Amino acid sequence: MKIVTAKEMQDIDRTAIDDYGIPGIVLMENAAKGVIASLFKKFPDIKDKKVGIFAGKGNNGGDGLAVARLLANEDISVTVYLLSKKVLLKGDTKTNLEKAEESGIKIFEIVSLDELEAVKDNILKNDIFIDAIFGTGLTSGVKEYYTDVIKFINSSKKIVLSIDIPSGLSSDTGEIIGEHIRADMTVALCLPKIGEILYPAAEYAGELDVVNIGIPELIINNKDIKINLIEERDAVRILPKRRPNTHKGTYGHLAVIAGSRGKGGAAALSSISALRAGAGLVTLALPECLNISFEVGIPEVMTFPLPDTKDGTIDKSALDILIKFLEGKSAVLIGPGITTNPSTSSLIKNLIKKVSCPMLIDADGLNIIADKIELLKDKPSPVVVTPHPGEMARMLNTTSKEIQANRIESSRKLSAEYGIYVILKGARTIVATPEGEVYINPTGNPGMATAGTGDVLSGIVAGFLSQGLSARDSSILGVYLHGLAGDIAAEKLSQTALIASDLIKTFPEAVKRVERDCFAPA
């Protein structure tokens, strides 16, 4: 599903009206019908409720006025609080105001703090508030009495449904730009907006329901919209289907270069996760000092011991050994738990120059190349990197705060500049491709903010890479299933108690949920 900015949505609306002859009033009516459907779905007993609608003077207010009329047609008690003088309304919004008045709906004009105070008791008699104040057009914080109205709505403790986007939030960024509605539910019209998907703003959208307003899909497909929301149907499309006449060699041989004394857990988590993702063979190249424990502890993973330093990390003398080791491998994962020991760092930088198979770099591998990221340019096979915001900041020579404030653009910049695939981890993990496409992942939860979950992710994505999936598809499928496994684990164990190895245990159930739809009859 596409995710749009305010400008992109306005362009889609304009094309529908000007080029396809769909009247704006029809789109507004369809939007209202979508909101009504969401309301009835969310509140089956809504006919017993009183609804108060806060409407602005723009198109969002027009949507709200149309909703008021449709509610009145269902004999539901509804009152409109118009944050404008009636005479200022124009076009389709004015038309819907006139229709609402013809339906006998009570409409209060509120254009000052005094007028708000005068009707507060009436407002508080409602059970549900509908926010139709601003919509998607805001680029700066709300001002004047609008601030007081929004503060009052938020303090009322009533259930709030926002139309298209909570008033006061920007459509184009996940950042908070000022006072805003804290919605329990948002009904996005046609397509979701960036501010409803990216945090911290997304926290205030509540439950998100996207409704069709009658814009032909062809219009959307013809627009060059680069930001996408990953959906289950994407995972269904990508997940490899196994054929009967196959063997372990069919599903690739992944090399994992990971681990050091004290950080063997990262190597274990990533290696096992790759097998869970379906890799036919996984060989873990690790410091010799760790080899015995891994041979005994993880029987499914083959090991390849390497010369080690006195600190228990992989020594730079292993370069030629590793180059030979990588011959014939389907893909390689580099980085979990290797440390930034100078000898190990020298090894990794020199090794990356020689790698020709698909490669995923994570964790300490990213810290090692942060000052030599040009090593990733023009590789013969795709490169995937999986930084958290701190690692990304080092790679772009900026701060974590800047990365978090510009997650989409930071990911795009790194991806395009070096021709690599970027998975920026965090709340709403982002996948960026060298072509400028961005995919935002909706699965996952705060319980996954714990040590080792990134190692699990790198193993999953590398496991798909080793099976021959493209870097793009491996990344999209990997982040979706990783987050879904986290959601299943949280359901079973709670977010607080969740640990990284739980994701490996619940990953098969995540795959099964997608497989059910893969193999469902058409």
Side-chain angles (χ1 to χ4, degrees):
M1 181 186 295
K2 299 294 182 182
I3 303 172
V4 290
T5 63
K7 184 176 182 301
E8 287 171 334
M9 192 64 238
Q10 288 164 7
D11 185 42
I12 290 169
D13 284 339
R14 190 163 44 248
T15 300
I17 294 167
D18 295 344
D19 297 348
Y20 282 72
I22 304 172
I25 193 73
V26 171
L27 294 178
M28 197 170 278
E29 189 74 5
N30 290 342
K33 289 177 180 177
V35 172
I36 293 294
S38 294
L39 269 171
F40 273 75
K41 182 170 61 177
K42 181 72 173 176
F43 308 105
D45 61 343
I46 193 169
K47 291 202 172 187
D48 300 324
K49 306 289 186 184
K50 293 182 177 181
V51 179
I53 298 179
F54 294 85
K57 65 180 181 180
N59 285 340
N60 197 242
D63 295 333
L65 288 162
V67 169
R69 171 172 43 81
L70 295 178
L71 287 173
N73 290 346
E74 296 287 339
D75 294 323
I76 295 169
S77 174
V78 60
T79 306
V80 172
Y81 305 97
L82 182 64
L83 306 186
S84 170
K85 291 293 184 183
K86 294 178 182 179
V87 295
L88 297 179
L89 273 59
K90 300 176 182 178
D92 297 332
T93 303
K94 180 182 178 182
T95 300
N96 271 312
L97 170 66
E98 293 168 349
K99 288 182 178 181
E101 289 182 315
E102 290 170 5
S103 297
I105 296 168
K106 180 67 177 175
I107 300 173
F108 291 91
E109 292 178 337
I110 303 174
V111 295
S112 70
L113 185 57
D114 287 342
E115 289 175 336
L116 174 63
E117 288 290 339
V119 296
K120 274 186 177 179
D121 288 344
N122 180 281
I123 293 172
L124 292 173
K125 290 178 183 177
N126 294 290
D127 303 296
I128 299 170
F129 290 162
I130 295 180
D131 157 36
I133 304 172
F134 285 121
T136 61
L138 281 184
T139 57
S140 59
V142 299
K143 298 178 176 64
E144 301 171 343
Y145 68 93
Y146 292 112
T147 302
D148 296 309
V149 172
I150 289 173
K151 285 182 177 178
F152 172 66
I153 292 171
N154 289 336
S155 67
S156 71
K157 307 301 181 185
K158 302 289 185 179
I159 295 168
V160 181
L161 180 149
S162 289
I163 298 178
D164 215 12
I165 192 168
S167 292
L169 293 180
S170 166
S171 292
D172 300 344
T173 171
E175 293 302 292
I176 303 298
I177 60 172
E179 196 65 45
H180 55 86
I181 292 290
R182 291 160 168 80
D184 298 285
M185 181 180 184
T186 299
V187 178
L189 306 179
C190 184
L191 294 168
K193 318 306 182 289
I194 293 171
E196 296 162 340
I197 302 298
L198 289 187
Y199 290 105
E203 181 178 351
Y204 303 105
E207 180 184 339
L208 186 64
D209 194 13
V210 182
V211 298
N212 185 349
I213 63 170
I215 292 178
E217 194 169 341
L218 182 63
I219 295 177
I220 298 167
N221 292 339
N222 285 341
K223 303 295 180 181
D224 189 26
I225 300 169
K226 296 285 193 181
I227 302 176
N228 307 272
L229 183 68
I230 302 172
E231 299 179 274
E232 183 182 1
R233 63 182 178 180
D234 298 310
V236 169
R237 172 183 59 81
I238 297 169
L239 187 68
K241 283 74 171 176
R242 297 204 164 200
R243 302 181 67 179
N245 187 26
T246 56
H247 53 84
K248 62 187 176 184
T250 306
Y251 303 106
H253 189 169
L254 176 68
V256 178
I257 303 172
S260 61
R261 187 185 298 130
K263 293 188 176 181
L269 290 168
S270 57
S271 299
I272 298 169
S273 298
L275 285 172
R276 284 292 191 195
L281 297 158
V282 174
T283 300
L284 170 62
L286 75 174
E288 190 170 10
C289 62
L290 301 182
N291 189 63
I292 292 176
S293 60
F294 272 80
E295 279 192 320
V296 174
I298 313 177
E300 299 92 345
V301 175
M302 295 179 287
T303 61
F304 188 75
L306 297 169
D308 48 14
T309 66
K310 61 181 177 58
D311 297 323
T313 69
I314 304 171
D315 188 76
K316 63 182 179 182
S317 64
L319 179 61
D320 290 339
I321 300 169
L322 278 172
I323 292 171
K324 182 72 173 174
F325 165 70
L326 290 179
E327 291 179 3
K329 298 299 188 295
S330 308
V332 59
L333 164 58
I334 301 173
I338 60 174
T339 80
T340 57
N341 176 283
S343 180
T344 309
S345 297
S346 174
L347 166 72
I348 295 303
K349 287 177 180 176
N350 285 310
L351 179 65
I352 285 172
K353 296 175 187 176
K354 304 290 186 180
V355 173
S356 59
C357 64
M359 174 170 50
L360 188 149
I361 307 175
D362 184 32
D364 287 327
L366 298 175
N367 293 325
I368 287 169
I369 63 163
D371 63 344
K372 287 285 184 181
I373 195 168
E374 63 273 10
L375 292 172
L376 305 182
K377 269 190 172 182
D378 303 321
K379 298 298 293 179
S381 293
V383 176
V384 179
V385 296
T386 56
H388 58 56
E391 292 160 348
M392 177 83 104
R394 288 187 281 276
M395 296 169 79
L396 288 175
N397 194 28
T398 184
T399 64
S400 297
K401 185 177 180 181
E402 278 296 309
I403 297 298
Q404 288 295 75
N406 300 281
R407 286 176 63 82
I408 291 174
E409 291 312 313
S410 297
S411 302
R412 271 181 167 159
K413 178 181 178 181
L414 184 63
S415 181
E417 189 167 343
Y418 296 99
I420 59 179
Y421 295 80
V422 175
I423 298 175
L424 177 58
K425 295 180 289 196
R428 297 288 192 257
T429 291
I430 289 173
V431 175
T433 76
E435 296 75 33
E437 291 283 341
V438 170
Y439 299 86
I440 302 177
N441 182 49
T443 60
N445 62 82
M448 297 170 71
T450 185
T453 55
D455 302 312
V456 174
L457 175 63
S458 65
I460 291 169
V461 176
F464 289 131
L465 270 178
S466 72
Q467 294 172 69
L469 272 68
S470 69
R472 171 185 170 274
D473 284 354
S474 295
S475 300
I476 291 170
L477 182 60
V479 299
Y480 182 85
L481 289 174
H482 175 258
L484 181 56
D487 290 339
I488 294 168
E491 289 170 9
K492 295 176 180 291
L493 304 168
S494 84
Q495 293 182 8
T496 302
L498 190 154
I499 60 174
S501 58
D502 294 327
L503 303 188
I504 299 174
K505 296 171 185 173
T506 55
F507 187 78
E509 186 171 339
V511 173
K512 280 179 68 176
R513 290 190 185 185
V514 173
E515 280 183 341
R516 278 198 293 267
D517 288 331
C518 281
F519 304 130

